[in-house]
Amino acid sequence: MAHPTYPTPPAGPSGPQYGPPDYGPPDYGPPDYGPPAGYAPAPARRRRTGAIVGGILAAVVVLGGLVVGAVVWFGSSTLDTAEAERQIGQLTAEQTGVAPTDVSCPADVEAESGATFTCTASLEHQPISFTVTQTDDEGNVQIDSDNTFVDVDVVEASLDEQLGELTGVVVISSCDTDGHSVLVDAVGTPIPCFVDNAADATDTIEVLATVDESGAVSYELA
């Protein structure tokens, strides 16, 4: 009996392939989390306490100006200028944080609406003065400071904030003011200050801080 014959399956790329699939070695490389298209990568932060440039403006620190009080009668026609001295001392201490010394107003000031007189004092050995204007003839006065006052602590805090943000490290600023905590008439005058890296006392720079008429603090390398 003859055996049946079967046609041979076609060969070549057009025929079906029945071999085992080739999965190849698995690829576990790190995924790509790069920035999306259209976004440039941010520059790396650098430590720059040795090369600081200035010019940033910050907090208002100018104090002083107008203060108002009342001076009682001393007699039938003169003012109690001792009360004016007391109020000047109190108001100056409230505004500057420092009590003035040697406050002096003239005696025997005649009560007259619109009349003015000058009182003097000392603030941490810096001379200051006030113009006192009688607003009526009943002993009420307006007291105006003739000076501006710069709070040194606020200047230093402003430098800490500005230069800390610029350098990315904590800094500590100290200004050379001959021991004054408040500077009289220092607006526009450069104030020498040192800025230290809080973590490295040898990393320091010297700057000149300046307060403008609006009270903004700027600085430049000394």
Side-chain angles (χ1 to χ4, degrees), residues 109-171:
V109 174
E110 296 292 329
E112 180 184 354
S113 179
T116 64
F117 57 94
T118 299
C119 298
T120 60
S122 178
L123 194 72
E124 297 182 324
H125 306 292
Q126 302 168 96
I128 58 176
S129 63
F130 301 84
T131 297
V132 183
T133 303
Q134 298 185 53
T135 58
D136 55 32
D137 57 3
E138 297 180 359
N140 292 300
V141 299
Q142 174 176 297
I143 304 171
D144 291 284
S145 171
D146 299 330
N147 310 97
T148 59
F149 308 96
V150 172
D151 188 327
V152 177
D153 283 346
V154 179
V155 174
E156 292 172 346
S158 177
L159 293 176
D160 290 350
E161 180 179 358
Q162 294 182 63
L163 297 174
E165 290 179 357
L166 181 64
T167 62
V169 300
V170 177
V171 299

Side-chain angles (χ1 to χ4, degrees), residues 68-82:
V68 179
V71 179
V72 299
W73 289 104
F74 180 71
S76 59
S77 61
T78 59
L79 300 179
D80 183 359
T81 53

Side-chain angles (χ1 to χ4, degrees), residues 13-131:
S14 60
Q17 302 298 312
Y18 297 108
D22 182 12
Y23 294 108
D27 181 10
Y28 295 115
D32 182 9
Y33 292 114
Y39 289 87
R45 172 170 287 185
R46 297 181 180 179
R47 186 168 173 268
R48 298 180 55 197
T49 50
I52 297 174
V53 293
I56 304 172
L57 300 181
V60 173
V61 293
V62 177
L63 304 176
L66 177 67
V67 291
V68 179
V71 179
V72 299
W73 289 104
F74 180 71
S76 59
S77 61
T78 59
L79 300 179
D80 183 359
T81 53
E83 175 63 14
E85 294 171 355
R86 187 194 69 78
Q87 290 196 35
I88 286 173
Q90 177 181 330
L91 293 167
T92 302
E94 290 174 355
Q95 291 196 14
T96 68
V98 178
T101 57
D102 302 322
V103 182
S104 177
C105 295
D108 300 325
V109 174
E110 296 292 329
E112 180 184 354
S113 179
T116 64
F117 57 94
T118 299
C119 298
T120 60
S122 178
L123 194 72
E124 297 182 324
H125 306 292
Q126 302 168 96
I128 58 176
S129 63
F130 301 84
T131 297

